[in-house]
Amino acid sequence: MRAIEKLHLCGSCRHPFVVPEAILEVVGQGEQYVVELRCGDCGWAHVGAYPAAALEELDRELDRAQAEIEAALEVCELVDELERIDRFVEALNADLILPEDF
């Protein structure tokens, strides 16, 4: 079994792209779950039994990664919009846009 605090890291490529594919509760084993993990980067897959605390930590890591992705997307969208504005200003300054264009 892998270290509990590292479920979000791939066992093959060590990238933090591991997501749970399937989760089954083990009856009679307390708060124990059988989980199929898969790496979205290299395709590595693993099935193991983990306590609920380990899955909660994985969930927190997935939430953190999603927030990072959303923040990066916002930056990309802002950069793209600023580049469009710059191109529009350049076109205005070069008299490439006429009133009949609107």
Side-chain angles (χ1 to χ4, degrees):
M1 177 165 34
R2 299 177 345 167
I4 289 173
E5 68 274 1
K6 303 291 184 186
L7 285 183
H8 69 287
L9 296 177
C10 176
S12 177
C13 68
R14 303 305 295 165
H15 291 157
F17 301 123
V18 173
V19 294
E21 290 282 313
I23 300 174
L24 300 171
E25 185 174 2
V26 179
V27 179
Q29 297 293 321
E31 295 257 334
Q32 192 81 356
Y33 297 88
V34 173
V35 181
E36 179 184 0
L37 301 171
R38 183 170 306 280
C39 177
D41 196 25
C42 71
W44 172 85
H46 173 76
V47 175
Y50 301 101
L55 296 180
E56 289 172 7
E57 180 62 29
L58 175 60
D59 191 43
R60 282 191 289 277
E61 286 294 331
L62 293 173
D63 288 344
R64 185 191 57 75
Q66 180 178 349
E68 287 179 5
I69 290 169
E70 289 171 354
L73 177 61
E74 287 179 17
V75 169
C76 289
E77 289 172 342
L78 178 61
V79 168
D80 186 49
E81 186 64 26
L82 291 174
E83 288 175 352
R84 272 186 269 170
I85 292 169
D86 287 343
R87 287 192 305 269
F88 183 73
V89 169
E90 289 173 9
L92 283 174
N93 289 337
D95 290 328
L96 298 174
I97 297 176
L98 304 172
E100 52 269 9
D101 289 333
F102 295 97

